[in-house]
Amino acid sequence: MAGTTPDFDAVVIGAGFSGLYMLKSLRDKLGLRVRVYEAGDTVGGTWYWNRYPGARCDSDAYIYVCTWDKQLLQEWEWSERYPTQPEILRYLEHVAKRHDLKRDIQFGTRVTGGEFDEGTNLWKVHTDKGEEVTARFLIAAVGTLSATNLPQFKGLEKFKGKWYHTSRFPKEGVDFTAKRVAVVGTGATAVQAIPEIAQQAKQLTVFQRTANYCVPARNGKVDPEVTKARKADYDGIVKRIRESFFGQEHYFIPKSALEVSREERERELDKRWDAGGFAFWLANYQDMFFSKEANEVIADYLRRKIRATVKDPKVADKLIPQGHYYGTKRQPLDTNYFETFNKDNVLLVDATADGKIEEITEKGIRAGGKEYEFDIIVFATGFDAMTGPLKALNLKGRGGRTLDKEWVDGPHTYLGVSVAGFPNLFTITGPQSPSVLSNMPVSIEQHVEWITDCIDNMRKTGKTTIEATPQAQDQWVAHVNEIVNMTLMTSANSWYMSANIPGKPRAFLPYLGPEGVGGYRKKCDEVAAKGYEGFQLA
Ligand SMILES: Cc1cc2nc3c(=O)[nH]c(=O)nc-3n(C[C@H](O)[C@H](O)[C@H](O)COP(=O)(O)OP(=O)(O)OC[C@H]3O[C@@H](n4cnc5c(N)ncnc54)[C@H](O)[C@@H]3O)c2cc1C
């Protein structure tokens, strides 16, 4: 019966940046009864789970914040440009405390399933604690990088030493002193962890499948005058990042990399290299993501930097990326990453030159026919990104349909926030929204605010269900693919392309809209203004 009173107006899954703001908005703005389920023991999400050495944000901290708490924007002082995991976790704990959020969050509880009941128009949600609750709205704030990817290496169970995945590091930390350590993987996480582990370990061996173009983070204290000016201009900053392409204060150079002289280009690239951070990636020549030739001149600049830093030319060769265009994989920011390979205690084993990992043995790792012995193996092998945590919810929509089946050839969503056949389900920073291609708090807040307005509107107009129409969804999927197919992004074996997980259907996961997050925001607002165009409300 559609009139049945649910246990909660909304169930929110996850208590990171997304879940915290969703709870705040629905509870304190709309006055809804909300229950949040969080698998971890406290708030924080990414910043609760990822405790590996060197874990820190890559977004500049002044924009990696809850911009919805204006007072806190003024009060909070970050200790450096890119704070570490404990500091960001402290920040999110503080946010939860300030807004008294924890009283509505049930920690240590994983949502294991949910069904949309077509009789009552309610979601029935199950947890690993054996609970079953009903809710009108189900909001997945499960994160995009929260489903750990541990490749099925043969023999892992035989290993006599200790092993860890970077996203499930023990709270008490790991002492690498005097240990022989392996790091498997060279993505953004590994690039942060490797220089730190190398300082402690007796011997560090890095197993690389794909070399990455890294640019310097240039972490450090932020000039107090800069911080003061930013605090005075936060309204302007928030407006700019919301309207920007990537949710950051970075803007493309409105020129082709090929139309300028070599001198001018080197000057511009030097500027971005010296500034550090995402500027090199996101404020580069505008045709970098489209033109192979433009991309090549920028890649050439980065290759020269690697050769100039790494002393052994053979090692430098291995560290130089092959087979993908610059910028088509997540940009790692580094602090002494390439320098680390000059250390006597660091060895690089490259899958292409030295052989792939064949198996884990009792003593270590066999690769390229050779056994390497270790006390500790660290897997920095990333995540089943974006679709992984959503599929793991085991949701059943209308007629018992599942995301596994609906997404057999890649995600199908409308605006990345809704899935046809799954009424009243919202996915914060879901696949086919800008999400991981942006400074995430900007995209998270946009979705939370849009969902809040949508639910408010439904209440005011007496609607109980909203769901994307299959036609609107098909058009959105076609649009997402059409745009990205014009870029070089689809050529890479990246996690954006789902290529890091064997058997995962090859599809570009986020939305690279023609006007970035600003344009996407406008599109979502237009949909709402037109009475939720592309949705069916009942
Ligand atoms: C190492 C690392 C560094 C990053 N750095 C940056 C950065 O510099 N800039 C940037 O913009 N983004 C960065 N990100 C992306 C980051 O995930 C987002 O910025 C942001 O923290 C996402 O918040 P969220 O709340 O959406 O998701 P998360 O923080 O991932 O939180 C999701 C929560 O949902 C919970 N959950 C999932 N499934 C279930 C379930 N079934 N039941 C119960 N609970 C569940 C998880 O336990 C988790 O706590 C980084 C990610 C990683 C992994």
Side-chain angles (χ1 to χ4, degrees), residues 51-55 164-166 169 173-185 189-206 335-337 340 343 345-347 374-380:
R51 297 164 184 264
Y52 58 86
Y164 307 95
H165 191 283
T166 45
F169 240 59
V174 175
D175 185 6
F176 294 102
T177 315
K179 296 286 195 291
R180 298 162 305 169
V181 182
V183 171
V184 177
T189 284
V191 167
Q192 289 185 337
I194 285 165
E196 297 287 326
I197 297 174
Q199 286 182 43
Q200 279 184 38
K202 180 163 103 192
Q203 169 72 38
L204 171 65
T205 306
V206 175
T335 304
N336 298 326
Y337 177 68
T340 297
K343 290 172 95 118
N345 67 331
V346 177
L347 175 71
F374 299 112
D375 304 304
I376 299 174
I377 302 176
V378 176
F379 293 100

Side-chain angles (χ1 to χ4, degrees), residues 337-351:
Y337 177 68
F338 291 118
E339 290 81 348
T340 297
F341 293 93
N342 293 333
K343 290 172 95 118
D344 292 336
N345 67 331
V346 177
L347 175 71
L348 178 65
V349 177
D350 170 35

Side-chain angles (χ1 to χ4, degrees), residues 13-19 37-40 44-47 49-50 52 56-59 64 109-112 141-146 189 192 278 330 383 389 392-393 428-429 438-441 444:
I13 313 167
F17 269 97
S18 299
Y37 290 112
E38 166 55 59
T46 290
W47 306 103
W49 295 106
N50 290 266
Y52 58 86
R56 55 176 78 247
C57 58
D58 285 336
S59 293
Y64 196 66
T109 307
R110 185 168 285 279
V111 169
T112 50
V142 291
T144 52
L145 301 173
S146 60
T189 284
Q192 289 185 337
F278 283 141
R330 162 65 152 80
F383 303 92
L393 293 174
I428 301 179
T429 66
S438 66
N439 173 46
M440 293 287 280
I444 288 169

Side-chain angles (χ1 to χ4, degrees), residues 85-100:
Q85 171 269 328
E87 192 170 341
I88 305 174
L89 184 56
R90 245 190 339 269
Y91 171 78
L92 290 170
E93 285 280 6
H94 182 68
V95 169
K97 192 160 180 222
R98 252 169 96 73
H99 297 279
D100 192 18

Side-chain angles (χ1 to χ4, degrees), residues 158-425:
K158 289 190 215 146
F159 182 55
K160 291 269 196 273
K162 297 246 190 286
W163 66 265
Y164 307 95
H165 191 283
T166 45
S167 73
R168 292 293 179 271
F169 240 59
K171 285 190 188 143
E172 61 284 6
V174 175
D175 185 6
F176 294 102
T177 315
K179 296 286 195 291
R180 298 162 305 169
V181 182
V183 171
V184 177
T186 50
T189 284
V191 167
Q192 289 185 337
I194 285 165
E196 297 287 326
I197 297 174
Q199 286 182 43
Q200 279 184 38
K202 180 163 103 192
Q203 169 72 38
L204 171 65
T205 306
V206 175
F207 289 84
Q208 171 185 277
R209 186 170 65 174
T210 315
N212 254 309
Y213 293 101
C214 305
V215 302
R218 308 226 185 274
N219 191 25
K221 300 260 173 248
V222 177
D223 179 344
E225 286 306 314
V226 170
T227 300
K228 201 169 143 199
R230 283 175 176 160
K231 284 187 189 271
D233 184 31
Y234 250 126
D235 285 346
I237 290 170
V238 171
K239 183 168 186 300
R240 287 195 293 280
I241 59 178
R242 286 178 166 218
E243 290 172 357
S244 70
F245 203 103
F246 292 111
Q248 323 224 0
E249 291 196 281
H250 292 313
Y251 306 94
F252 292 123
I253 305 171
K255 283 182 185 174
S256 163
L258 304 171
E259 78 181 51
V260 295
S261 66
R262 185 184 158 88
E263 291 69 34
E264 179 180 337
R265 193 167 60 227
E266 291 285 308
R267 237 186 355 259
E268 289 296 338
L269 295 181
D270 282 347
K271 247 195 255 169
R272 284 153 184 79
W273 179 264
D274 293 342
F278 283 141
F280 199 93
W281 190 30
L282 307 178
N284 214 307
Y285 288 96
Q286 64 178 12
D287 54 349
M288 186 192 87
F289 288 104
F290 300 95
S291 152
K292 292 177 184 172
E293 294 75 23
N295 193 284
E296 170 54 25
V297 293
I298 296 160
D300 172 66
Y301 178 94
L302 292 171
R303 288 195 291 264
R304 281 184 276 133
K305 291 291 186 193
I306 298 172
R307 288 198 201 287
T309 309
V310 181
K311 290 188 186 138
D312 180 339
K314 284 199 202 115
V315 178
D317 274 347
K318 292 183 192 175
L319 288 166
I320 286 179
Q322 309 283 344
H324 68 270
Y325 295 104
Y326 170 60
T328 56
K329 290 166 86 85
R330 162 65 152 80
Q331 169 71 73
L333 297 188
D334 88 87
T335 304
N336 298 326
Y337 177 68
F338 291 118
E339 290 81 348
T340 297
F341 293 93
N342 293 333
K343 290 172 95 118
D344 292 336
N345 67 331
V346 177
L347 175 71
L348 178 65
V349 177
D350 170 35
T352 330
D354 309 306
K356 289 186 183 154
I357 294 180
E358 288 145 18
E359 62 173 332
I360 312 287
T361 64
E362 267 186 35
K363 292 183 183 161
I365 294 178
R366 187 184 306 283
K370 184 174 169 198
E371 187 177 28
Y372 300 81
E373 296 189 6
F374 299 112
D375 304 304
I376 299 174
I377 302 176
V378 176
F379 293 100
T381 44
F383 303 92
D384 182 354
M386 301 196 76
T387 50
L390 291 171
K391 284 188 176 180
L393 293 174
N394 298 310
L395 300 181
K396 291 203 173 98
R398 280 197 196 283
R401 66 184 74 192
T402 63
L403 291 179
D404 266 340
K405 283 213 179 114
E406 300 293 305
W407 290 0
V408 74
D409 58 348
H412 291 254
T413 75
Y414 181 39
L415 300 170
V417 75
S418 167
V419 185
F422 293 78
N424 292 358
L425 168 72

Side-chain angles (χ1 to χ4, degrees), residues 480-492:
V480 168
N481 291 329
E482 187 191 342
I483 300 286
V484 77
N485 283 336
M486 291 192 264
T487 73
L488 300 173
M489 299 299 279
T490 50
S491 63

